[in-house]
């Protein structure tokens, strides 16, 4: 992989996490909520590709996104087909005419990097579905190959520290000899296969397609990492269940080096399942999961995980000793570090000694400002002996 070694790519893509982390037609993809978030989640380890994953990337650039970086995701850049690129047997075109000059193209790349707000080493994913070589044939595919090579070279000029990958339908083997050329030294650094959950999808059908993509990619560039594109949205409507989100991430952690979470959103209580599950999964991936003998269970008055903006909400909290030994008396910790200016105070602070299985109750008075940039919030409910993660959807 010449200067872009596997180790340097993992570092550049946010692989600083320790212990343990699209598949639709263009028409269907446009029907999904426009809340761009690329999240890389998984663990960087020098081991076989099928070991623990190294990061989560999130593509978020619009207002009121979930803010997956608060859970440990790394912001990345997605470059969309601004120039409406196409190729046929006669050549390639932008908006049906001349291709952009290098300076114009590199300026647009830098604009996308600015929009998404990632670091200079954050990954760049290219989404040009009209010119993927797996969807073309004959001379058109060859023209597309040459265009890709030029564009990728320009992108490396515009973002010299960023690894570059291409979103694609990687279980398709059409023109594999062309795709392989795009993963040569100095061109693409990783794979990003479409692995969304379609309406009517089953675990076996999804896993089969993931396995097909991985097998094809390993045959083309066995040393390059694979970061499937996933989303909490079902193609066809609604959010995936917590069980499905866990299954997707577990499969990815077992078989790939990370994931890219595409355009997540959390707009109402139906997002609670994936948001809560994601909080747990990211705690495992980043080594910051709930810990200690005491578990704090928060029960929002909404009856689900939602809390309102511009109000103070009183949230009953039950602390339980889940260990096999009695715990010493302790105190609830000051409520600090919450995102978006959210503050909180405890009704009762002093937690008594608790026998195994015993509980104690208090109330968290949580104040949320009327405006905020994220639609979810990760809270840490801490005692002197423990830390419980609690994720909420902020409406």
């Amino acid at each position: 992989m010449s200067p872009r070694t596997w180790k340097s790519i993992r570092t550049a893509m946010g692989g600083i996490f320790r212990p343990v982390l699209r598949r639709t037609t263009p028409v269907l993809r446009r029907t999904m909520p426009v809340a761009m978030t690329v999240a890389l989640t998984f663990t960087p380890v020098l081991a076989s590709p099928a070991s623990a994953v190294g990061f989560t990337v999130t593509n978020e650039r619009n207002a009121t996104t979930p803010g997956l970086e608060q859970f440990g995701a790394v912001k990345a850049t997605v470059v969309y087909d601004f120039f409406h690129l196409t190729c046929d047997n006669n050549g390639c075109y932008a908006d049906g005419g001349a291709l952009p000059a290098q300076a114009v193209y590199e300026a647009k790349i830098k604009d996308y990097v600015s929009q998404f707000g990632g670091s200079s080493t954050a990954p760049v994913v290219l989404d040009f579905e009209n010119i993927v070589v797996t969807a073309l044939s004959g001379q058109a595919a060859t023209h597309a190959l040459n265009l890709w090579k030029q564009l990728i070279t320009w992108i490396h000029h515009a973002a010299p520290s960023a690894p570059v990958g291409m979103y694609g339908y990687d279980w398709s083997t059409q023109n594999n000899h062309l795709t392989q050329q795009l993963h040569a030294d100095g061109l693409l650094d990783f794979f990003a296969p479409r692995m969304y959950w379609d309406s009517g999808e089953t675990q076996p059908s999804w896993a089969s397609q993931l396995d097909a993509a991985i097998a094809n990619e390993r045959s083309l560039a066995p040393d390059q990492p694979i970061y499937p594109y996933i989303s909490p949205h079902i193609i066809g409507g609604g959010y995936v269940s917590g069980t499905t989100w866990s299954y997707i991430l577990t499969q990815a952690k077992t078989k790939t080096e990370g994931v890219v979470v595409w355009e997540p959103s959390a707009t109402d209580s139906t997002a609670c399942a994936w948001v809560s599950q994601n909080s747990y999964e990211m705690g495992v991936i980043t080594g910051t999961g709930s810990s200690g003998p005491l578990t704090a269970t928060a029960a929002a008055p909404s009856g689900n995980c939602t809390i309102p903006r511009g109000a103070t909400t009183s949230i009953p909290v039950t602390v339980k000793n889940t260990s096999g030994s009695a715990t010493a008396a302790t105190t609830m910790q000051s409520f600090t570090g919450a995102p978006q200016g959210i503050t909180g105070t405890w009704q009762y602070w002093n937690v008594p000694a608790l026998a195994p299985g015993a509980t104690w109750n208090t109330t968290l008075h949580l104040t949320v400002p009327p405006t905020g940039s994220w639609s979810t919030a990760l809270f840490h409910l801490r005692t002197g002996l423990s830390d419980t993660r609690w994720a909420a959807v902020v409406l």
Side-chain angles (χ1 to χ4, degrees):
M1 298 175 68
S2 84
R4 281 176 160 50
T5 63
W6 163 220
K7 182 176 180 181
S8 66
I9 288 173
R10 286 182 324 173
T11 301
M13 298 186 93
I16 56 173
F17 301 138
R18 289 294 170 193
V20 241
L21 243 275
R22 237 158 105 175
R23 164 179 113 181
T24 175
T25 64
V27 173
L28 279 178
R29 188 169 60 83
R30 294 190 191 102
T31 66
M32 296 177 67
V34 184
M36 320 265 179
T37 301
V38 179
L40 292 164
T41 310
F42 295 3
T43 297
V45 281
L46 281 175
S48 63
S51 64
V53 269
F55 66 85
T56 299
V57 174
T58 180
N59 291 80
E60 301 182 42
R61 66 173 179 173
N62 286 354
T64 321
T65 58
L68 295 189
E69 59 265 40
Q70 69 187 300
F71 298 91
V74 176
K75 298 202 75 170
T77 298
V78 178
V79 177
Y80 291 101
D81 191 8
F82 176 83
F83 295 101
H84 305 102
L85 301 168
T86 57
C87 296
D88 60 24
N89 289 336
N90 296 315
C92 296
Y93 319 92
D95 287 308
L99 294 170
Q102 179 176 353
V104 173
Y105 192 79
E106 290 187 14
K108 178 50 65 176
I109 298 302
K110 293 176 181 178
D111 178 51
Y112 273 118
V113 170
S114 176
Q115 287 181 40
F116 282 97
S119 69
S120 63
T121 59
V124 173
V125 188
L126 314 177
D127 186 359
F128 307 155
E129 297 178 41
N130 288 330
I131 60 169
V132 290
V133 295
T134 54
L136 299 173
S137 59
Q139 194 61 34
T142 302
H143 288 315
L145 171 68
N146 293 329
L147 176 58
W148 276 109
K149 288 180 177 179
Q150 184 64 80
L151 297 179
I152 295 166
T153 300
W154 289 351
I155 291 168
H156 282 309
H157 289 162
S161 300
V164 178
M166 177 180 68
Y167 166 81
Y169 303 81
D170 295 0
W171 55 90
S172 173
T173 59
Q174 179 165 307
N175 294 321
N176 253 3
H177 65 295
L178 303 182
T179 301
Q180 187 171 38
Q181 294 181 51
L182 293 177
H183 289 267
D185 286 348
L187 294 175
L188 295 176
D189 302 307
F190 62 91
F191 292 94
R194 175 210 188 274
M195 284 307 306
Y196 298 134
W197 198 269
D198 290 310
S199 178
E201 191 82 76
T202 65
Q203 290 185 2
S205 68
W206 187 89
S208 176
Q209 206 152 50
L210 175 64
D211 291 343
I214 291 172
N216 190 33
E217 290 158 345
R218 299 295 186 210
S219 72
L220 299 177
D223 293 330
Q224 287 195 2
I226 299 171
Y227 309 121
Y229 253 66
I230 63 174
S231 175
H233 296 280
I234 298 171
I235 303 301
Y239 296 106
V240 299
S241 67
T243 299
T244 295
W245 195 241
S246 176
Y247 178 80
I248 290 171
L249 294 182
T250 297
Q251 288 288 304
K253 285 191 290 186
T254 301
K255 300 174 180 179
T256 72
E257 290 73 40
V259 294
V260 177
V261 182
W262 179 72
E263 296 193 2
S265 70
T267 57
D268 55 41
S269 62
T270 63
C272 285
W274 88 262
V275 169
S276 296
Q277 189 65 41
N278 189 70
S279 173
Y280 168 78
E281 301 289 348
M282 290 301 297
V284 173
I285 289 163
T286 61
T288 60
S290 298
S291 60
L294 301 178
T295 298
T297 303
S302 61
N304 48 58
C305 78
T306 63
I307 53 177
R309 293 188 186 277
T312 297
T313 303
S314 296
I315 301 173
V317 174
T318 298
V319 176
K320 181 177 182 179
N321 179 4
T322 58
S323 74
S325 302
T327 55
T330 185
T331 59
M332 302 303 297
Q333 302 298 294
S334 297
F335 198 81
T336 59
Q340 307 181 72
I342 298 173
T343 60
T345 59
W346 296 103
Q347 179 184 18
Y348 305 118
W349 292 77
N350 297 317
V351 185
L354 294 174
T359 61
W360 172 81
N361 297 313
T362 186
T363 298
L364 173 62
H365 301 295
L366 196 66
T367 301
V368 182
T371 60
S373 57
W374 293 339
S375 60
T376 73
L378 173 63
F379 303 103
H380 289 271
L381 309 180
R382 296 186 175 95
T383 71
L385 303 174
S386 59
D387 179 356
T388 300
R389 293 165 66 101
W390 177 54
V393 173
V394 185
L395 302 177

